[in-house]
Amino acid sequence: MESQHDIFLVTRDLDVGYRNGRRVTTLLSGINVDVRRGQMTALLGRNGAGKSTLLRALTCFTRPLKGRVELAGSGVALHDMTYAERSRFVGLVTTERMLAGALTVQEMVEMGRQPYTGVLGRLGRHDHEVVDEALEQVGIAHKRHEMLAGLSDGERQKVMIAKALAQRTPLIVLDEPTAFLDVESRMEVMKLLHKLAHDEGKAIILSTHDIAQALMLADTLWVITRDNTLIAGPTEDLVTNGTMNSVFNDDNLSFNAAIGDYEARVETSRTVTLDCPDDTLRYAATALLLRHGIAVNAQATGHTGIVVHTPADLVALRATLTQERQ
C-alpha cells in the first residue's frame, strides 16, 4: 500500500506555456498532479502539445505561467529555492545533444557533483565514490576514460543519466531520453529507468513517443489529450478507459491495446473471421489481410472464415491474396 509519505512533489493549479514580450501563450492549465518515489511516470502527447514545456516548469528550468511546484508536506515551492538547493532535489536530462568538447565520460559524470562541491568544485573521497557508483549503475564504468565524442548516442545517454544519478536527487526528469536511439538502446535505457525507480526508490518522469515501452514499464501515465487536457492515472487504467484514443486529432489513428501502440485505420472492402491460435501468426495474418483491404472480426458471423495454423498456411494465404489482386 502506498502512503502519503511516498509523494515527493505536487503541483498546484499549474499553468505552463511561454511568453513573447507581453504576449502569453498557455499550452496546459490547471495541472494538479503528484510525483511519487519508487514510480516511473511516462508523459505522452503529440508534438507541440507542451510536454517539454511542462517538464521544464517542473524542474524550474523555466517559470510556470501560474501556480506552484512544491515539495510534498513542506509546502516549499521549488522556485523559491536557490539553484544549488534545487539541484539537490531534481535532476534534468534533456534531448539537447551535448557539446562533448574534450571531456571524458568520468569528467562529465563528475559534473553531477557540483551542487555539493562548492565554488572550487573539488571532489572528495565521497564524491568519487558516488561517481563510481553512478557509472556502475548505468553500465558505463568500462568507458570512464573514453572521450564523449567517441561514444554512440545510446552510450552518451547513459552518461547523462549517470550524471543525474551523481547528483543524488530523489527526482530525475528526462525529456525524450530515447529520441535518438536505436531499438536496442531504447529498450536498455527504458529498463534502466524502470530499475532506478523500483530498486533505488527514485521518482522518474520521462516524456517519450515510445508508446509500447512506456505502457509496459511506466507505473503512471500523464497523457496530454487533443484538447490540451492533462489526464494522469495508473497506466492500466488509462489504457482501458479510452484515454489513449484522445491524444491525436487524426481520426485515421487508433490505439490498439493488444499491441500497446497506435495503428492507422485502413479502408477495407470486406470482413472475415480468422482461425489462428498462435499470437505471432495471427498478428502477421491480420496485417497481411489488412494490407489487402480485408478486416478481421473475431466476433463476426456469416463471413468468410480463414484458417492459419502454420507458417505454410500464411504463405498460401499471401499467394491467394496476391493472385486475387492481379
Side-chain angles (χ1 to χ4, degrees), residues 167-212:
Q167 281 183 242
R168 287 289 175 93
T169 59
L171 170 63
I172 300 177
V173 177
L174 306 98
D175 189 4
E176 292 285 355
T178 62
F180 305 115
L181 308 185
D182 59 27
V183 173
E184 183 179 15
S185 296
R186 288 204 307 268
M187 290 184 177
E188 284 184 359
V189 168
M190 291 292 280
K191 287 192 293 184
L192 169 62
L193 296 173
H194 176 266
K195 180 179 176 63
L196 291 173
H198 283 236
D199 294 354
E200 304 292 333
K202 301 285 187 183
I204 303 289
I205 304 175
L206 69 143
S207 61
T208 182
H209 289 290
D210 194 345
I211 305 297

Side-chain angles (χ1 to χ4, degrees), residues 298-311:
Q299 307 302 321
T301 59
H303 292 279
T304 303
I306 291 178
V307 177
V308 177
H309 285 182
T310 68

Side-chain angles (χ1 to χ4, degrees), residues 93-101 103-105 108 147-149 151-161 163 180:
V93 179
T94 70
T95 53
E96 297 171 358
R97 289 179 180 266
M98 70 191 81
L99 296 175
L103 290 177
T104 65
V105 168
M108 174 57 78
M147 309 303 294
L148 285 171
L151 300 184
S152 68
D153 285 336
E155 289 169 334
R156 290 191 194 188
Q157 194 62 280
K158 287 182 179 181
V159 172
M160 299 313 293
I161 294 172
K163 176 176 174 286
F180 305 115

Side-chain angles (χ1 to χ4, degrees), residues 13-20 22-31 46 48-50 53-54 64-66 224 227-229:
D13 297 321
L14 196 68
D15 290 4
V16 300
Y18 53 89
R19 293 182 174 89
N20 185 5
R22 293 185 178 181
R23 182 179 178 181
V24 177
T25 300
T26 302
L27 297 177
L28 300 166
S29 61
I31 300 171
R46 67 198 183 283
T53 305
L54 173 57
L65 300 177
K66 179 184 174 184
I224 301 176
D227 62 356
N228 297 98
T229 300

Side-chain angles (χ1 to χ4, degrees), residues 275-322:
D275 178 2
C276 183
D278 181 86
D279 289 342
T280 301
L281 281 176
R282 184 175 185 83
Y283 177 80
T286 301
L288 173 61
L289 289 163
L290 195 60
R291 290 197 297 272
H292 286 78
I294 303 170
V296 172
N297 186 345
Q299 307 302 321
T301 59
H303 292 279
T304 303
I306 291 178
V307 177
V308 177
H309 285 182
T310 68
D313 292 338
L314 187 63
V315 172
L317 175 61
R318 182 171 66 241
T320 299
L321 294 171
T322 301

